[in-house]
Structures are given as C-alpha cells and as structure tokens.
Amino acid sequence: MLHTPAAGWTLLLCALLGRLAAAGSPELPIAVNITWSSINFKTILRWQPKPSDYFYTVEIHGQTSDTQKKCILTAETECDVTDVLRNVRETYTAHILSVTSSRMDNFEEPPFAVSEKFTPYNQTILGKPEIQNYTQKDSKLNIVFKDPLTPYTFPNGSFQSIRDIFRHDLQYKLYYWKDQSSGKKDATTKSHKFEINVDSTKNYCFYIQGIIPSRRENRDGQESMVLCTSVGRNILDEYGAEVFIIIAVIAIAVITLAIVLSVILCKRKNAKPAREKEPLNSI
C-alpha cells in the first residue's frame, strides 16, 4: 500500500499531539512512609498520603513469583496482602501505583513508589501464646499453653499454627518470679508445656513468649498476659507486712482504750457507795 505525503504528515501530527497531551497532564503524588505490619503472618501494608482525585493500586512483586495486584483503585491507605504472601520464605516488594480511572484504560505507566523488601518468615512478629492451664502442686509449677494461629489453612479448612510453619525454629521462653519479688528466672521449651521446680511455700507469677533464635531481628514475640498462682496465700502474702503492722497497732490501741475505760468505770462505781455512807451535816 502506498502512503501519500498528506497521510504521513497526519500520522506525525497525531503522535506529536499525543506526546503533548501526556506531557501536559499533571503528575500524581506517589505514596510515602510505606510500612509492612505483620503479626502471625497476617500482613497489612500501610502508606501515606490520603488520595484526593486519584486512587491507589498495589502490586506485590516476588523474587520468584508472578506479580499480583491487590486493592485495585482504592481510596484507602492500607491493604491486606496476606493472601498473596503464602510462600512465606519468598522475599517481596510492593509497588504502590498512583492512578486515575482513565489511566487504567491506557498503556501509560502510572507513577509508583516501591516499598522495602519483606520476607514473612524472617520478619512477621510472633503473637501472644494462649495459656490454657496452670497448676502449682507441692514444689512443681506446670503450665500448658497453645500456639497462636495464622490466617493460612490446611486443605481441610483448619487454621495452621505458627508451629506448623516454623517447626523446629520455634521455641518458647517462660519468665517467672516469686509473687511480690522482682527477681526473674527463665526456662525454654520446644513443646506446649513447662514443668519447673519452685518453692512450695511461695506463690509465683509468670508469662510466656515465643522466640525464633535463628533470627537476627524480631527474635522475641509478644508477651502473654501475666498470671499468678494462689497456693497457700494468706493475709500477709496478699497485703504485705505494712498492713499487718497497722492492724496490730490498731488492735493494741483498742485493747488499751478498753482497759482504761474499765478502770475508770470501776473507780466511779466504788466511789458512789462511799459518798452515801458519809453523815449529813446538821442544819
């Protein structure tokens, strides 16, 4: 097919007009302060600023996996990306695209910001273990606890625990101390329970946290709630020696007051018959 000079000029003019239009369109702001927040592999991506007259779309790029889009054309500044990070040993980056709805329909690449790298296996924070049962009998303190669950499931639909993912890399540390004392001791286990020797006459408080010793960062997980035993607890254990001393002083004061009042009443009672036996003065 032959091209006339007029047709050639028309194509050149269209190309120039397209470039001018693209150059004249205002550049959209890009995301800043991008952070990964991940606990037990539940991972949220957050950034700023809040968009105005434009939207965000998140692309997750893995080193060995295909790019996946999340939160397409969102006006929010956070995105739950948990389900696209199932390969927890993969290292990911997030591209946060600033887009308008019209730009999504053409081939022009929108402006975007890139997050820091994130590897779930190395960086997710271990959540709080759940203490299921604890007993102190004689000189033994026994504690049974439960692994935190992740959002990921087995084929049968049951949720995987962090132990199912970390396996032998996961340990738990117990911190315990005598009630009303500040001196802490610790013990470590790879199982679901602790059994430690304690003073049978004292009560103990404790908490548990998961640890990944092989990590360089985020080795220690979140701490469980603090619980205390109550074996052989008496008033002195409960309230301390100061309250016991105050009660003793009050008791002594009450007894002393009662004795003083009794002596006064007896003296008055004995003085009354003596006055009645005195002779009357003559008038």
Side-chain angles (χ1 to χ4, degrees):
M1 180 182 293
L2 297 175
H3 294 281
T4 64
W9 280 108
T10 301
L11 291 173
L12 179 61
L13 181 61
C14 289
L16 289 174
L17 288 173
R19 289 188 179 184
L20 288 173
S25 61
E27 189 70 12
L28 298 176
I30 62 172
V32 296
N33 299 331
I34 304 171
T35 58
W36 299 90
S37 176
S38 182
I39 300 176
N40 296 332
F41 297 102
K42 171 77 171 179
T43 304
I44 308 295
L45 194 66
R46 294 188 174 92
W47 64 89
Q48 294 175 328
K50 192 79 173 175
S52 176
D53 299 326
Y54 66 99
F55 304 95
Y56 292 113
T57 293
V58 176
E59 290 182 349
I60 300 298
H61 296 253
Q63 287 185 334
T64 62
S65 55
D66 295 335
T67 300
Q68 300 190 63
K69 289 188 176 184
K70 289 288 293 181
C71 303
I72 299 172
L73 293 178
T74 180
E76 302 299 324
T77 55
E78 68 175 41
C79 182
D80 188 340
V81 293
T82 303
D83 63 331
V84 295
L85 307 183
R86 289 182 177 275
N87 183 359
V88 296
R89 293 181 181 269
E90 174 80 288
T91 298
Y92 301 92
T93 55
H95 291 193
I96 302 179
L97 285 59
S98 300
V99 296
T100 61
S101 56
S102 60
R103 279 194 177 186
M104 293 296 291
D105 297 330
N106 59 37
F107 297 101
E108 182 183 350
E109 183 179 34
F112 63 90
V114 181
S115 72
E116 294 183 353
K117 294 180 179 180
F118 178 72
T119 306
Y121 192 89
N122 296 333
Q123 293 176 261
T124 195
I125 295 173
L126 304 182
K128 301 177 182 180
E130 178 186 346
I131 298 174
Q132 294 181 298
N133 184 39
Y134 63 97
T135 57
Q136 182 180 343
K137 186 176 181 181
D138 297 329
S139 60
K140 295 290 185 181
L141 173 60
N142 290 280
I143 303 167
V144 179
F145 59 93
K146 184 179 179 181
D147 297 313
L149 297 178
T150 75
Y152 302 131
T153 58
F154 291 107
N156 64 4
S158 62
F159 287 99
Q160 297 181 14
S161 71
I162 61 172
R163 186 183 299 275
D164 295 319
I165 295 176
F166 287 111
R167 299 185 180 276
H168 298 297
D169 285 341
L170 175 65
Q171 297 181 13
Y172 286 96
K173 182 164 281 190
L174 168 72
Y175 293 92
Y176 64 101
W177 60 96
K178 291 179 181 179
D179 195 4
Q180 302 180 1
S181 170
S182 58
K184 288 183 181 179
K185 295 183 179 180
D186 63 78
T188 304
T189 186
K190 287 189 174 183
S191 69
H192 291 99
K193 63 182 180 179
F194 287 96
E195 182 178 316
I196 56 175
N197 295 317
V198 294
D199 185 341
S200 60
T201 64
K202 299 293 183 180
N203 293 297
Y204 285 81
C205 296
F206 61 89
Y207 65 85
I208 300 172
Q209 64 181 154
I211 58 172
I212 306 291
S214 60
R215 282 183 173 182
R216 294 181 180 179
E217 299 178 354
N218 298 327
R219 292 179 71 255
D220 299 334
Q222 296 178 335
E223 300 171 358
S224 72
M225 64 184 301
V226 176
L227 296 174
C228 299
T229 62
S230 58
V231 176
R233 184 181 291 271
N234 53 39
I235 294 178
L236 186 59
D237 293 329
E238 188 76 29
Y239 300 104
E242 294 83 358
V243 175
F244 181 77
I245 292 171
I246 292 172
I247 293 173
V249 170
I250 293 173
I252 292 171
V254 170
I255 293 171
T256 303
L257 180 61
I259 293 173
V260 171
L261 289 175
S262 298
V263 171
I264 293 173
L265 290 174
C266 287
K267 287 183 177 181
R268 286 185 176 181
K269 187 176 180 180
N270 293 333
K272 186 175 180 181
R275 286 198 302 269
E276 290 177 351
K277 293 179 180 180
E278 291 179 0
L280 295 176
N281 294 328
S282 60
I283 298 177

